[in-house]
Amino acid sequence: MGCTAAHLAALLLCVSIIAGGAIAGRQNGTNGVSRPAEVRIGALFTFDSVIGRAVKPAIELAVADVNADPTLLPGTKLSLLMQDTNCSCFVGTIEALQLLAKDVIAVLGPQSSAIAHIISHAANKLQVPLISFAASDPTLSSLEYPYFVRATQSDYYQMSAVASIISQYQWREVIAIYVDDDYGRGGITALGDALAKNMAKIAYKAKLPPHAGRTAIQDVLMQVNEMESRVYVVHVNPDSGMTVFSAAKSLGMMNSGYVWIATDWLSAVIDSPAHVDSDATEHTQGVITLRQHVADSGIQQSLLPKLNNLTRKGTRSSFSSYTAHAYDSVWLVAHAVEQFLSAGNAVSFSANQNLQAIKGSSLQLDSLRILNNGDKLLEKVLQANFTGVSGQVQFTLDGNLIHPAYDILNIGGTGFRTIGHWSNFSGLSVAAPEDLHSVSLDSTTNDMQLHDVIWPGQTAEKPRGWVFPYHGKLLRIGVPLRTSYNEFVMQDDGPDGVKGFSVDVFKSAISLLPYPVGCSFVLFGDGLKNPSYSDLVQKVSENYFDAAIGDISIVTNRTRLVDFTQPYTESGLIIVAPAREIGSNAWAFLKPFTFQMWCVLGLLFLFVGTVVWILEHRTNTEFRGTPRQQIMTVCWFSFSTMFFAHRENTSSALGRFVLLVWLFVVLIINSSYTASLTSLLTVQELTSGIKGLDSLISSSSAIGYQVGSFARNYLVEELNIADSRLVPLNSPSDYARALELGSGNGGVAAIIDELPYVEIFLSKYCKFKTVGQVFTKGGWGFAFPRDSPLAEDLSTAILTLSENGDLQRIHDEWLSGKKGCESDDSELGSNSLNLSSFWGLFVVCGLACAIALLIFFWRILFQYSKYNNQVEVEAAIVNRPARLTSIKSLISFVDKREEEVKNALKKKPNGSQQARIGTTEEASTLPL
């Protein structure tokens, strides 16, 4: 698939014009490998243009330097043929075909992207590389143009740099002013793609006709000045671009509040020697522009004197990025031809058989010949790798120069200053791009910024980037005309016509904005029932309203239409159901604890009593006596501790320790019992049988919802509840009446509504209760059209209201005192306390008892061992057997009083007995 019909027509017309003037002498082809004495290259650009004046001496100087280099193309002279395109696509096409008819092996140019699109088709057929130093249209990198080689940076990268600048200053919308040709359209398309990656967009594309006059430019500028965005990206040709800023200044659009970003065409104008003494900087004060980055090097300094010698008298040459790329383009061709010839290829041309087949034509198409092995020459061009004036000349796989980078300039005073750089490697940075390639990206994150900018109007404060495009007209703010819950929004006889909690929040937030905003509140609804909030949001998306305020829930389907501010209050759906008080009965005192809990408590009382008895039995006379008396003591002591009425004193340290822990447990149990019993005697239970959301969904009962609320759509679409079960209700009195009637009597079993409404409803009707927790999380916000910057600024203002306490103050003014019911239980129906509530206490008590018993029995065993040894000694003296060797003996020993055991161990034997047991007397002292 080749060129379009328009392109073919242009080519045929151009060939007919130049056929008679084709040069008869041609370079003779040869099948040998000898180097030709001369190779021709062409240059195609507008001589009398900003770029043309910068590149013409550079190209001539580069050709001279190549011919003077003995190591490059030895024995072969590089000849230069230049054609002037005269800033005309038509003339440029003719001139290009004239160059191709002169058997050039490569063409430097064209300068224009539009001409490059047309001539690339001819270059493809004739296999002649086009090496352009200025055509930056990204679409020229298409596979459709294999013989087009871009020796400059693509606007794809330049627009990425522009998008990074816009993102740096957090602007979301821009207006693109561009020339409506291939160059302009391709660049702005790339800008739109780059902005989309940074969550921004082009709000409007202002097209300028090629070679537009001042009147046409002023008309376009006056049109964009009526729009909201104040960030302008100007992408035009350097020869006519200054008229844009001249017209903008005359219209007052170069004052504070405006942002102007120009692509590298403006830096080309400023760098041009013809504009050094002009008013270029006077009309562009505060403008940000880009310039292709060329690292400083000694090569540049050595070229400047040579360039000055080639320019006209009295004109001083300056060095621009286009100068560097044009100079390197000549060397690029020279290196490629050298490698082409060194590989044994000959420079030869052959007739195009397709053109030869056209008989009887007066166009003499045979003047255009194919470069033999042109594909190999193109391959050598794309394989180039050398250091030129512009830096490293090397191509990526997609045919672009490596390391694309731009300087970011801020024009001010009589010149400009560099405020930063951009590269595809590091993004924005104040460090030079070549310095960042040698370090890791992580180490450069602190440099992702720009120096301070002096904006139009000689201000250092960052412009907001947008204004209200209403020119004194008030914003139309849609306000729902509610018939219920007027605490949030209601009609008023005051100057605003509305008041309420939501209205006061909006007014307070508006007052915090750093710019004035005039508002006109327009009621939405018929006044008979609550309006549909989804319809209100739809009106905002259709620009019928400039915004909508009120109790508007932020839900997914609405966020697809409009932008919401930060929520100013929390919301969410919750269930309301009827409830009744539970009647008391004779056994209500047992309900605080479950049956299992009562059993465990009884056993624990007996267990602790038994442990205390064991610990006190040997030392405390109150815990001794007949077996019947001791059993009664254990039972009495155990249960009397419940009321802290026990009469028995504990004398042992272990007994007191266990009793202290147990009394703490009893205190917690008593307090919990009292609180639970009090709650049970005053609690309400649900009469509808609804225990939560799941039981409501699974039932067939009718469900009420508020008219205009999103609840209906949520119930039907998200919870799959049949629409026939849903009953619309309008006011709190409707709520109460429907709940009292019940589902089977024309009412509803429950109502699902948003939490703020439910709180007000329950403050008036205490015989209804909420069931479960809020099952959707959300909030209320103010709605604005998509991408409205006012939504973002109001969100910041709402956060400020929240932080300084004004939001809570407004809430208290309108909604305080609304909680008339004391109970705010979210879960209705109290449950009896069970073991899970006290297992920690029981474990602590059990551990205390276990530790005390272990210490006690360790002492018993220690005493028993000593006591048994003494009895054995006495038995040996009187020749009678020891009798403390059985379990019965141990139990009998445990039952002995502590004092009796100690006295027995203190007895000293007589005579020989004293000697025999003397060694054990000192050990009779027992541990306490």
Side-chain angles (χ1 to χ4, degrees), residues 28 134 164 236 240 290 339 385 398 427 455 467 478 516 558 565 639 729 766 768 780 786 788 856 881 925:
N28 295 324
S164 295
V236 294
S240 59
L290 282 76
Q339 295 178 12
N385 187 359
D398 56 358
W455 303 99
V467 294
R558 294 175 183 172
T565 62
F639 292 101
L729 303 171
C766 298
F768 305 105
W780 291 351
R786 294 300 298 269
S788 172
F856 174 79
T925 303

Side-chain angles (χ1 to χ4, degrees), residues 64-74 331 335:
D65 288 346
V66 168
N67 288 328
D69 189 345
T71 63
L72 191 62
L73 295 177
W331 283 86
H335 282 293

Side-chain angles (χ1 to χ4, degrees), residues 490-805:
M490 71 175 72
Q491 191 174 8
D492 183 45
D493 295 331
D496 292 327
V498 292
K499 66 178 182 179
F501 169 65
S502 300
V503 177
D504 282 0
V505 172
F506 178 75
K507 291 180 179 179
S508 299
I510 285 290
S511 67
L512 295 178
L513 298 180
Y515 45 87
V517 178
C519 300
S520 173
F521 297 102
V522 181
L523 293 172
F524 177 76
D526 56 12
L528 302 178
K529 61 180 180 180
N530 294 331
S532 170
Y533 281 63
S534 296
D535 291 344
L536 177 60
V537 170
Q538 183 69 34
K539 291 292 185 181
V540 175
S541 68
E542 295 172 354
N543 294 320
Y544 180 81
F545 290 127
D546 299 313
I549 67 170
D551 44 341
I552 306 174
S553 297
I554 304 174
V555 293
T556 303
N557 60 340
R558 294 175 183 172
T559 58
R560 298 189 182 103
L561 300 175
V562 297
D563 283 347
F564 282 95
T565 62
Q566 170 81 14
Y568 62 87
T569 189
E570 293 183 353
S571 180
L573 295 178
I574 194 169
I575 302 173
V576 181
R580 62 174 176 81
E581 293 187 0
I582 300 177
S584 300
N585 56 57
W587 303 102
F589 68 92
L590 294 177
K591 289 187 177 181
F593 294 147
T594 62
F595 176 77
Q596 184 184 25
M597 181 70 178
W598 282 116
C599 294
V600 172
L601 280 177
L603 293 176
L604 192 60
F605 272 101
L606 293 175
F607 172 73
V608 173
T610 303
V611 171
V612 173
W613 175 82
I614 293 174
L615 298 176
E616 295 289 324
H617 176 68
R618 302 184 72 220
T619 59
N620 194 336
T621 57
E622 293 183 0
F623 287 87
R624 299 186 66 84
T626 64
R628 181 176 178 274
Q629 290 177 331
Q630 294 185 53
I631 292 174
M632 292 296 297
T633 298
V634 169
C635 294
W636 165 254
F637 179 83
S638 298
F639 292 101
S640 63
T641 55
M642 179 185 297
F643 312 102
F644 305 97
H646 52 285
R647 295 176 300 177
E648 295 79 6
N649 295 320
T650 53
S651 59
S652 66
L654 293 176
R656 290 174 178 175
F657 167 70
V658 171
L659 184 61
L660 178 64
V661 175
W662 173 242
L663 290 179
F664 174 74
V665 174
V666 170
L667 175 64
I668 300 300
I669 292 175
N670 282 344
S671 300
S672 302
Y673 176 85
T674 303
S676 181
L677 182 60
T678 302
S679 176
L680 283 171
L681 293 177
T682 59
V683 77
Q684 293 177 326
E685 69 176 4
L686 298 171
T687 59
S688 63
I690 303 300
K691 300 300 182 182
L693 181 62
D694 292 337
S695 63
L696 181 61
I697 295 175
S698 60
S699 71
S700 59
S701 303
I703 303 172
Y705 69 92
Q706 184 181 167
V707 174
S709 171
F710 77 97
R712 179 188 175 280
N713 289 338
Y714 181 84
L715 295 175
V716 174
E717 298 174 4
E718 301 296 332
L719 302 184
N720 297 320
I721 296 177
D723 187 57
S724 59
R725 293 177 55 191
L726 302 182
V727 178
L729 303 171
N730 196 56
S731 65
S733 59
D734 294 341
Y735 284 22
R737 188 180 307 108
L739 289 172
E740 289 172 351
L741 291 175
S743 178
N745 301 312
V748 297
I751 293 174
I752 293 181
D753 204 355
E754 296 180 70
L755 183 61
Y757 303 125
V758 170
E759 289 177 346
I760 294 179
F761 171 72
L762 294 181
S763 69
K764 300 176 181 178
Y765 300 91
C766 298
K767 55 185 176 181
F768 305 105
K769 292 294 179 181
T770 57
V771 180
Q773 303 293 333
V774 175
F775 56 87
T776 65
K777 296 295 183 181
W780 291 351
F782 305 132
F784 289 85
R786 294 300 298 269
D787 300 320
S788 172
L790 189 57
E792 182 177 348
D793 288 353
L794 267 185
S795 295
T796 303
I798 291 172
L799 289 176
T800 303
L801 290 176
S802 178
E803 292 170 357
N804 61 24

Side-chain angles (χ1 to χ4, degrees), residues 74 85 96 112 214 280 311 412 565 834 836:
T85 60
S112 167
R214 185 181 181 88
T311 55
T565 62
N834 53 36
S836 61

Side-chain angles (χ1 to χ4, degrees), residues 339-602:
Q339 295 178 12
F340 177 79
L341 296 175
S342 298
N345 297 300
V347 177
S348 62
F349 296 86
S350 60
N352 189 311
Q353 298 301 321
N354 293 329
L355 296 178
Q356 291 291 327
I358 302 177
K359 302 295 184 182
S361 173
S362 60
L363 298 179
Q364 299 183 9
L365 299 178
D366 57 347
S367 60
L368 298 173
R369 299 201 300 171
I370 298 174
L371 173 62
N372 295 325
N373 296 322
D375 57 337
K376 295 182 179 179
L377 178 61
L378 174 65
E379 181 181 351
K380 300 301 181 183
V381 170
L382 296 177
Q383 291 176 352
N385 187 359
F386 66 94
T387 301
V389 179
S390 61
Q392 188 68 21
V393 179
Q394 186 178 352
F395 295 95
T396 61
L397 294 177
D398 56 358
N400 291 308
L401 288 174
I402 64 171
H403 306 321
Y406 289 85
D407 301 328
I408 303 173
L409 313 178
N410 181 209
I411 301 175
T414 59
F416 59 85
R417 61 191 181 94
T418 302
I419 61 173
H421 307 274
W422 179 92
S423 72
N424 69 328
F425 173 75
S426 60
L428 295 177
S429 175
V430 295
E434 59 270 15
D435 297 336
L436 300 178
H437 288 291
S438 58
V439 296
S440 63
L441 187 59
D442 293 339
S443 64
T444 66
T445 53
N446 292 332
D447 294 328
M448 300 290 287
Q449 56 187 349
L450 298 174
H451 291 300
D452 293 337
V453 178
I454 303 299
W455 303 99
Q458 299 299 309
T459 177
E461 182 181 358
K462 187 200 81 170
R464 190 169 69 244
W466 62 275
V467 294
F468 289 109
Y470 303 106
H471 301 286
K473 294 191 300 182
L474 300 177
L475 292 178
R476 283 173 50 87
I477 308 297
V479 182
L481 180 56
R482 296 193 57 89
T483 59
S484 62
Y485 298 111
N486 300 119
E487 293 87 349
F488 301 107
V489 176
M490 71 175 72
Q491 191 174 8
D492 183 45
D493 295 331
D496 292 327
V498 292
K499 66 178 182 179
F501 169 65
S502 300
V503 177
D504 282 0
V505 172
F506 178 75
K507 291 180 179 179
S508 299
I510 285 290
S511 67
L512 295 178
L513 298 180
Y515 45 87
V517 178
C519 300
S520 173
F521 297 102
V522 181
L523 293 172
F524 177 76
D526 56 12
L528 302 178
K529 61 180 180 180
N530 294 331
S532 170
Y533 281 63
S534 296
D535 291 344
L536 177 60
V537 170
Q538 183 69 34
K539 291 292 185 181
V540 175
S541 68
E542 295 172 354
N543 294 320
Y544 180 81
F545 290 127
D546 299 313
I549 67 170
D551 44 341
I552 306 174
S553 297
I554 304 174
V555 293
T556 303
N557 60 340
R558 294 175 183 172
T559 58
R560 298 189 182 103
L561 300 175
V562 297
D563 283 347
F564 282 95
T565 62
Q566 170 81 14
Y568 62 87
T569 189
E570 293 183 353
S571 180
L573 295 178
I574 194 169
I575 302 173
V576 181
R580 62 174 176 81
E581 293 187 0
I582 300 177
S584 300
N585 56 57
W587 303 102
F589 68 92
L590 294 177
K591 289 187 177 181
F593 294 147
T594 62
F595 176 77
Q596 184 184 25
M597 181 70 178
W598 282 116
C599 294
V600 172
L601 280 177

